[in-house]
Structure formats: structure tokens, C-alpha cells
């Protein structure tokens, strides 16, 4: 793998307080990486250091082979950032906002218009090009922020809770745009989010807690390792089901007319279901999700639209 982000032995003290403790990780070029953690875990400290906004205490942080402490200008050219707080100038048009960003980043003048047009087209905003930013909806402004973060053709896009505060429909569309841009431009996505479904679709998920990265793996591997599959079922003949569960060693609980059980061995569970097929009234099998992984690891829940508490 080619590591576009390469962090080794990164630590950060604020005075005497160790906020990030000897953290190492890599992010593969062209992949999407979700960075999760409860409040105070050290996520912002890590992202702000990678984005050259604060300096490390120890370690080496490289983006596209460039050292964030020693080559901050080169690193800034290699990254795009979309933060939660909107930073577009409301009194300027989309075009004016984007052109001033291009000039700041040294995009060749003869390429500016074409790049802006192409990216606005990807996020369905071409016809808004010469409108004032203040006339756009919240979701549209966030799309313009993504265009702005990409118009200097960065290799890594940092998205810090990019969809917080947007309605579910707009969130889904935003995410479609981000994925499309990622594929077309082979951009690496580094995402923080409180929406578990956004982390689920990333190639890898790292969970930080207490200044350390506790796990870093694919969502599938994390779910396999840290969650349980559960089933609930309702049957006509409860006695028959109880006998079968005891015989086949399925510990169960009965709540509100439903049997609740853990499915450790799927093959064995399917056999049980098969034996009960005449009597089953209702059944649901639930796999653990990343929220369960997060809860298992940190003892806290990622709350939708809010901070993990
Ligand atoms: N400038 C600062 N001075 C002193 N302590 C700080 C400073 N910035 C952060 N901290 C502390 O460092 C720890 C890590 O903070 P950080 O903001 O990186 O966490 P986080 O995971 O981003 O949390 P959140 O989700 O709340 O933003 C916290 O205990 C925080 O109080």
C-alpha cells in the first residue's frame, strides 16, 4: 500500500497535559478513513496537527511524503479541509469565493474557470455559479465548501463532521457527491463524524480514546470482533421452542412474547429455525453495527447529531 498519511510516534502535550500519546497510523492513498472517538479523545488535536494548524510535541507526521512540521506550505497544498463552521464569504458569489481561493493556492490562472466549472458541475451547482452565497441553502453551501476544498486538486480531503446539522436527505446526497469526487479524483478522505452510517461505508475506521488509537481496521473486521449477532422471534408453540433452545444450547430470554437470543453459530441457528418453521410467527436477526463497536471499546455511544458522551 502507498501511505498518503503516515503518522509515527505522534504525541502532543498542552502544558503538562498529554492530549495525544504516542500514536501511529497510516492511511492508504485513495481510501476513506473514518476517525472516531468520544469528546476529548484527541481527534481535533490530531487533525489540527495534520492540517499544520498546531505543532506536535513528538513524532513524525507525513502527508504525501511531506513533513507537516518542516514543510507546512507543501502540506497545505496537498490537503483540502471542510470544517463544521462555514467559512464562505456570504456577500460574494460562488465564482468570486472560489476564484479567490484558487489565487491564494496558486492555481494557474488559465485553469481556474475550467476547474471551478467542472467541480460545480459534479455537485450540481453550475447554474448557481454567479449567485451570491447568501442565497444558497445550508446543504448547497456545504457543497460549495467541498468544491472549494478540492479546487486546488489536493490529494487528501479532511472532512470534520461535514454533514452535521443537515437533514438526512441532504446528508445522503452530500455523501454521494463526496464518494463520486473521491472515485473520479482518487482523493483520500479523512473523516470525522457522529453519524455511524457515514463511518460504516469507509474503508477503515480508527477509534481514538484517551489520546490513543484503540482500534484501526475495516468496519467489517471491527464488527466481527466486537459485536454479537442477536435474534428475536415469536412462535405459536413456545414449549417446543424452549425445549429446542435448551437442547441446542441457545441461552434465551423471554420479553414481551418474544424470545431474545444470541447467534454465535449461524449454521446451528438456521437448523433451529428450520425445525421451528411451522410455528414461527415473527423473526428478526440483527447484526451489531459500528455503534456497538464504539460502545464496546469506549463505553460510550455515538449520538446522532451530537457528541459522544
Ligand atoms: N489548547 C488546549 N489547551 C489545553 N488543553 C487542550 C487544548 N486543546 C485540547 N485540549 C485538551 O486535550 C484533550 C484532547 O482534545 P481534542 O480537542 O483533541 O479532543 P477531541 O477528540 O477532538 O474532542 P471533541 O470531539 O470534543 O472535539 C482534551 O482533554 C482537551 O481538553
Amino acid at each position: 500500500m502507498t501511505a498518503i498519511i503516515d503518522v509515527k510516534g505522534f504525541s502532543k502535550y498542552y502544558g503538562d497535559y498529554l492530549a495525544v500519546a504516542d500514536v501511529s497510523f497510516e492511511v492508504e492513498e485513495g481510501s476513506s478513513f473514518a476517525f472516531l472517538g468520544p469528546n476529548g479523545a484527541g481527534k481535533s488535536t490530531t487533525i489540527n496537527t495534520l492540517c499544520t494548524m498546531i505543532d506536535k510535541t513528538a513524532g513524525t507526521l507525513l502527508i504525501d511524503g511531506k513533513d507537516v512540521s518542516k514543510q507546512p506550505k507543501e502540506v497545505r497544498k496537498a490537503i483540502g479541509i471542510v470544517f463544521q463552521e462555514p467559512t464562505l464569504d456570504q456577500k460574494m458569489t460562488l465564482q468570486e469565493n472560489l476564484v479567490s481561493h484558487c489565487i491564494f493556492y496558486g492555481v494557474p490562472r488559465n485553469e481556474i474557470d475550467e476547474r471551478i466549472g467542472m467541480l460545480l458541475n459534479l455537485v450540481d451547482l453550475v447554474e448557481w455559479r454567479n449567485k451570491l452565497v447568501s442565497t444558497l441553502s445550508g446543504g448547497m453551501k456545504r457543497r460549495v465548501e467541498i468544491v472549494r476544498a478540492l479546487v486546488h486538486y489536493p490529494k487528501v480531503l479532511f472532512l470534520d463532521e461535514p454533514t452535521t446539522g443537515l437533514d438526512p436527505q441532504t446528508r445522503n446526497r452530500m455523501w454521494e457527491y463526496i464518494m463520486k469526487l473521491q472515485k473520479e479524483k482518487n482523493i483520500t478522505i479523512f473523516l470525522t463524524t457522529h453519524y455511524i452510517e457515514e463511518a460504516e461505508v469507509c474503508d477503515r475506521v480508527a477509534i481514538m480514546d484517551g489520546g490513543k488509537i484503540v482500534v484501526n481496521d475495516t468496519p467489517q473486521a471491527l464488527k466481527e470482533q466486537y459485536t454479537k449477532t442477536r435474534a428475536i422471534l415469536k412462535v405459536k408453540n413456545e414449549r417446543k421452542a424452549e425445549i429446542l433452545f435448551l437442547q441446542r444450547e441457545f441461552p434465551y430470554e423471554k420479553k414481551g412474547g418474544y424470545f431474545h437470543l444470541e447467534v454465535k453459530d449461524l449454521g446451528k441457528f438456521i437448523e433451529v429455525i428450520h425445525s421451528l418453521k411451522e410455528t414461527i410467527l415473527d423473526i428478526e436477526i440483527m447484526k451489531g453495527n459500528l455503534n456497538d463497536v464504539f460502545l464496546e471499546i469506549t463505553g460510550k455511544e455515538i449520538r446522532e447529531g451530537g457528541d459522544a458522551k
Side-chain angles (χ1 to χ4, degrees), residues 252-263:
Y252 63 87
E253 267 188 277
K254 248 167 86 178
K255 283 189 258 175
Y258 277 83
F259 288 98
H260 290 242
L261 17 110
E262 189 188 317
V263 182

Side-chain angles (χ1 to χ4, degrees), residues 81-101:
I81 314 171
V82 178
F83 284 129
Q84 236 188 92
E85 302 305 323
T87 51
L88 293 166
D89 190 327
Q90 304 277 332
K91 294 193 193 88
M92 292 192 339
T93 64
L94 277 62
Q95 170 81 9
E96 287 161 352
N97 265 283
L98 295 168
V99 168
S100 66
H101 181 88

Side-chain angles (χ1 to χ4, degrees), residues 1 30 36 64 85 115 181 260 273:
M1 97 167 196
L36 309 178
D64 195 24
E85 302 305 323
R115 285 197 198 189
L181 291 167
H260 290 242
I273 296 303

Side-chain angles (χ1 to χ4, degrees), residues 12-15 17-20 35-48 54 84 160-161 192 194 208-211 307-308:
K12 173 71 184 176
Y13 277 92
Y14 294 109
Y17 182 72
L18 182 60
V20 178
F35 196 48
L36 309 178
N39 279 340
K43 302 180 302 288
S44 301
T45 302
T46 306
I47 294 175
N48 291 343
I54 57 174
Q84 236 188 92
D160 191 13
E161 300 182 24
T192 70
H194 288 292
M208 194 171 200
D209 198 14
D307 292 338

